[in-house]
Every structure is written in C-alpha cells, then in structure tokens.
Amino acid sequence: MSRAVPSDASRVVVHVPRDSAARSVGADEVAAAIEHAAVAAGRDVTVVRTGTRGMLWLEPLVEVTTEAGRVGYGPVTADEVDGLVAAGLLDGAGPSLGLVDELPWLRRQRRVTFARVGIVDPLDADEYLAHGGLRGLRRALTMAPELVVEEVVGSGLRGRGGAGFPAGIKWRTVAGADAEQKYVCANADEGDSGTFADRAVLEGDPFQLLEGMTIAGLAVGATQGFVYVRSEYPDAVATLGAAVDIARGRGWLGPDVLGSGRSFDVEVRVGAGAYICGEETAMLESLEGRRGMVRAKPPIPALQGLFGMPTVVNNVLTLCAVTSVLADGAEAYAALGVGRSRGTQVFQLGGNVARGGIVETAFGATIDELVNGFGGGTASGRPVRAVQIGGPLGAYLPVDHFDLPMDYEALAEAGAMLGHGGVVVFDDSVDMARQARFAMEFCAAESCGKCTPCRLGAVRGVEVIDRVLAGDDPDGNLALLEDLCEVMTDGSLCAMGGLTPMPVRSAVAGFTEDFHDRAGRGLLPVVPLTQNRTESS
C-alpha cells in the first residue's frame, strides 16, 4: 500500500511503480523485499508506490531520493534487492542508472500530460496539489463557462482518441444545446494493440482525468460524468475508483465543487471486452445497458448522446490535456507542436523494439526519431522493416517513410493516421501479407455486425488474402481485394470497417513482394477464420 512521503528528513524514500506493467514483472515483490532489507539493515525507509516513468524495459524501476535527485536502479528483481542494499542502494550508491531525470529517454521529452506520472503517489491528493494539480480547475471556476470553452478552442487541442476532431468545437456544440441534463463521458476503452497511455495515466495520475472531466462539465453545463474503462484494466479500475472516492471526500467532486456551489460528479463503468465500444456511439449504447453497437450519425452525440442528451465524449488523454490548457493558458499550449497539430502527443512504442514505453513530445517528431532514437531499433537486433501507427486499423509504413513528422496532416497525406499514438515495430522477418490478413481477421472478429460492408466484407477479405497466401492468381485476387477495400471504406457505418482497408492497402502498396512468389517461405499454414473464432470463444 502506498504511503505519503514523511517529513522526517532522516528517512530514506524509495519509489517503486505500482502500475500493472511493473507489477506484471515483480514490482510488488521488489517493494516488499526493499522493506524487508531495510528492516534487516536497521534503516528507516518509506516505500512509495507510483505510476510508471514509461521506460518499460527497465521495469521494475526503483528510485531512491537523494539530495541530488532520484537515483534509479533497474530492472530490479526481488532476489537482487539484498545485494543492492548491501552495495548502497538506500544511499543512492552502487550500480545505479544515475539520476533518473537526466536519462536521455526522459530528458529529450516534453512531458505535459505525463508530468506527474511516475513522480507522485497516484492516490495522494496532497502530492497532486503540490505538483500543480487543480490549477486548471481553479482558474476555470473564475471564468464564465463560455470563456472556458473558447480557451479550449484557442488552444488547438484535438481529440487524442484517434479522430483528431477539435475538442473545443465539440464542447461549443454541447454548451450551445438546450437540455435539462448534459453529460461528459471519458472513453477509456483503450483497445488498440500497442497502446497503453490511457492505462498509464489512470494508474499513475487519476486525479488529472477527474479534474479535466470536471472542467468540461462546468464549461458545457453538465453535472454528471462517466468513465468507461475496458474490463482488461482491473488495476486502472481500482485506482480510478479510489481516486473518485478521495476526490469526493476533498470536495473536488460532488454538489459543491471546491465550494463554488456548482455540481459535477463522476461514475466509473467497466466495459465487457468489446473492441467496438471504443467507438463513441457504441460506448454510449453500452453505458445505457445495451449491446455495444454503432449508431448512425446524425444525430451526433454532442446533440443527442447518452440517454438522448447532449454529451461530451472525449478520450482520456484529451481530457487530461485540458487541465494544462486551463492552468497555463491556450497560448502556452498552442505554442507547442506544428501546423494544426498543437500541444504534445503521447506516443507508445511497442512490438519488436529495444526500448518500449511512453514518449511524450510536441507534435513534429519523426518516425525515425521515435523508433530508432527513443526506441533504439528492434529488440531482435535485426533491421527495422515496418511500423504500424495508430492501432490495428492503422497503416504499415516502410523505412523509406521514416522521415515523416508525427502529426495529423503529414500522416494523412501519406495515407496513414496518427490514431491514439501507438507505434508497433516489426523487423525484417515480418510477413506483411500475413499482417494484412490479420487486419481483416481482426475486423471480422470485432465488428458489431450492424452494417454489411464491415460484417461480411472482412470475412470475404480474409478469404481473398488466403487465396493470395496460397499463390492462387495473386494479381487477380489483389485486384478483387482492392475492390473490396473500396466498398468497405465507402460503405461502412463507422471507422471499424471504414479503416480496416488502411493497413491492408498499405501492406500491398509498401510491401508488394510479400504478396507474390509465396513458394519457399517456410511459413505455417493459414488457420481458417472459423477455427480462429472457435478457439477464441
């Protein structure tokens, strides 16, 4: 259990992450071992559990507070703790990584949304305040609601969930709607492969999301908020639920927010594991107690959303960014980034990468800077061949595209998308024809089934790619595949079916050789789609 940092300067303060990534590789055991070793050594030690710093290859990362700053050790196993303590860990000595804040991975970033993550105990309200928490909300309470909305408009903040729609415009629409009840919904159904920033924030700085939601509610006239969290995130659900209780107890949520006489409260709802519920209207259906299926638009959720009422639906990172916009002003936020991509983006490096984790930087960093600069190339040591940006529906880009800046417009011009900021790395052993098949198979498994192009198109897509993999008339079947992709793009009701062709087309265009001359590849036989679905049910 996390404990607040004591005021007694003679005590040693040791920070160990408590997020699910660190816990999965033994962080709880490391924390317990440090406490045991400290007792055996007669040292007065307080172990504070934090979120992750984002350097996942170093987890569990142990940090010891010294006069010079936090000194890091990692990755640390429980069996190594006694030896490290004997070598001087509790004094910041021994085989350390040095000052954590000076590590190149962190020093080269511009952390705004992740400024507190990994620094504070996520459930210590006083630490949240000491590190700048509630500055945005306090300022918002001094402003007229319409001015809060215009502050967000002026910041240039765009939705970080993938669509990139200007957040302030959405808020302006909800604020202008005439209704007795309005809602704010935070979409934390983070289902894209290779993405984990929402989870890291929820587990490392949950008060930030609650503050952003409250600002949104006060700005548009909503009194109730919901956080829709995917069921695969039990640690995030537990941490967020505890944070809601603490915030209510401190008067940050409830009928009298910070003594202002204005009301806003938040409930946490857990999804049932459907990828489609990451789409805003399917999420609203699920929140209302129905099966998660996409709604036709119009009407848009900003006018008729949850329970038919005007609703702000934003991604977790969008609402967290709002706290910085209000705390420091729209101009300060808009000064970061390039073109119409303002502020910072949280990139998540995954897949076959040497240094996977979280990178927050202003828009404009290139793919090469992320993959080779921060990521250090592949974990296998083989050459990088491709990256997929934006989740399972994002484009596959070859290395000759690595000079592209990571912003909405530059990626769109290249036939790709930023999405939620996930960057999955592949080395030169990848079979891109099989990756194209995976995209169609994923859509077939996760489609809500409401529209024909998505429901049936993905199944037909798998069948066509299977014929290509078998060497059956590649040219003819690739032409048929392109026709199918066009129908899915133009005819699907939502982005599930509409974007599935993006990874398929990009794989065919950028890695054409993988779709021809299939003989001699030595690959496992293709598993029929029906068998895959049976095994996963």
Side-chain angles (χ1 to χ4, degrees):
M1 190 71 180
S2 297
R3 295 189 294 247
V5 178
S7 58
D8 184 354
S10 66
R11 283 193 177 185
V12 177
V13 179
V14 179
H15 296 82
V16 180
R18 53 167 284 177
D19 72 295
S20 54
R23 294 182 67 197
S24 71
V25 290
D28 290 345
E29 293 77 9
V30 169
I34 290 172
E35 292 181 331
H36 183 270
V39 171
R43 300 292 296 272
D44 195 2
V45 171
T46 294
V47 176
V48 178
R49 304 303 298 275
T50 67
T52 178
R53 287 275 200 157
M55 298 177 287
L56 299 186
W57 76 97
L58 292 177
E59 297 290 10
L61 174 66
V62 174
E63 299 182 49
V64 179
T65 300
T66 70
E67 291 184 358
R70 291 190 188 179
V71 176
Y73 301 79
V76 175
T77 66
D79 293 340
E80 295 172 331
V81 168
D82 286 343
L84 288 170
V85 169
L89 177 144
L90 298 181
D91 298 307
S96 75
L97 300 169
L99 294 176
V100 175
D101 287 336
E102 295 301 316
L103 295 177
W105 172 277
L106 289 175
R107 194 175 62 247
R108 292 160 52 199
Q109 296 189 37
R110 179 62 182 268
R111 292 206 159 185
V112 177
T113 300
F114 271 70
R116 281 180 294 267
V117 179
I119 305 294
V120 302
D121 177 340
L123 293 178
D124 189 323
D126 291 326
E127 275 204 270
Y128 183 69
L129 295 174
H131 288 80
L134 295 192
R135 287 198 303 126
L137 177 56
R138 293 186 192 281
R139 179 170 176 247
L141 285 169
T142 68
M143 303 166 62
E146 60 272 18
L147 294 181
V148 176
V149 171
E150 294 310 311
E151 191 84 356
V152 177
V153 172
S155 72
L157 174 65
R158 295 167 68 174
R160 298 294 190 252
F165 188 82
I169 301 301
K170 183 181 291 187
W171 288 23
R172 187 188 284 167
T173 303
V174 177
D178 185 16
E180 294 182 0
Q181 178 68 55
K182 299 178 183 178
Y183 297 101
V184 175
C185 293
N187 190 340
D189 193 59
E190 187 176 48
D192 283 350
S193 51
T195 59
F196 42 89
D198 290 356
R199 176 188 61 76
V201 170
L202 294 175
E203 295 176 359
D205 193 9
F207 293 126
Q208 182 179 199
L209 173 62
L210 301 181
E211 180 182 353
M213 293 180 70
T214 305
I215 292 170
L218 298 177
V220 305
T223 58
Q224 181 64 53
F226 294 92
V227 185
Y228 188 88
V229 188
R230 65 181 310 204
S231 58
E232 295 87 345
Y233 283 175
D235 290 342
V237 171
T239 301
L240 185 60
V244 169
D245 291 340
I246 294 169
R248 286 192 189 122
R250 298 288 290 254
W252 302 354
L253 295 174
D256 186 22
V257 174
L258 291 179
S260 65
R262 302 171 69 181
S263 174
F264 187 79
D265 208 349
V266 171
E267 290 185 26
V268 179
R269 298 286 180 87
V270 181
Y275 176 81
I276 193 63
C277 287
E279 195 277 337
E280 61 178 2
T281 63
M283 181 196 72
L284 296 175
E285 288 287 297
S286 182
L287 277 172
E288 292 179 8
R290 291 189 287 272
R291 178 183 175 187
M293 295 186 73
V294 174
R295 296 176 183 175
K297 292 186 286 190
I300 59 174
L303 296 177
Q304 294 183 36
L306 188 63
F307 303 116
M309 298 298 177
T311 304
V312 169
V313 181
N314 281 144
N315 167 263
V316 169
L317 300 182
T318 312
L319 290 162
C320 287
V322 164
T323 65
S324 298
V325 170
L326 268 296
D328 300 319
E331 290 186 5
Y333 193 81
L336 301 171
V338 294
R340 293 181 53 234
S341 301
R342 312 312 307 175
T344 62
Q345 172 64 39
V346 180
F347 300 104
Q348 300 120 88
L349 300 181
N352 190 341
V353 65
R355 297 193 294 266
I358 290 193
V359 177
E360 183 176 6
T361 185
F363 283 101
T366 66
I367 299 173
D368 184 69
E369 288 177 286
L370 290 173
V371 173
N372 293 312
F374 284 99
T378 65
S380 64
R382 298 174 66 97
V384 177
R385 189 181 187 208
V387 295
Q388 185 177 33
I389 300 172
L393 307 183
Y396 294 103
L397 296 174
V399 292
D400 59 7
H401 283 61
F402 276 24
D403 59 345
L404 278 173
M406 294 288 277
D407 66 72
Y408 292 105
E409 281 67 43
L411 289 174
E413 289 179 10
M417 67 176 185
L418 182 63
H420 189 40
V423 180
V424 179
V425 181
F426 300 86
D427 71 13
D428 63 353
S429 66
V430 68
D431 182 345
M432 297 307 299
R434 294 217 167 211
Q435 291 303 124
R437 184 188 192 274
F438 169 76
M440 284 292 187
E441 183 182 12
F442 182 85
C443 181
E446 297 293 345
S447 171
C448 75
K450 188 165 186 175
C451 69
T452 302
C454 178
R455 182 182 68 250
L456 296 184
V459 176
R460 298 288 86 85
V462 172
E463 294 169 354
V464 173
I465 296 175
D466 281 349
R467 292 198 290 271
V468 174
L469 291 173
D472 179 9
D473 186 17
D475 291 333
N477 278 303
L478 286 174
L480 179 60
L481 182 63
E482 173 56 29
D483 288 344
L484 179 61
C485 286
E486 183 177 352
V487 171
M488 292 180 68
T489 300
D490 296 340
S492 296
L493 190 59
C494 81
M496 180 79 235
L499 288 178
T500 294
M502 181 178 285
V504 177
R505 283 168 156 163
S506 65
V508 174
F511 308 91
T512 306
E513 62 274 17
D514 287 22
F515 294 83
H516 295 84
D517 190 22
R518 300 289 305 175
R521 286 182 173 264
L523 299 172
L524 295 174
V526 173
V527 179
L529 176 63
T530 52
Q531 184 175 341
N532 278 348
R533 300 180 85 175
T534 300
E535 290 176 350
S536 64
S537 62

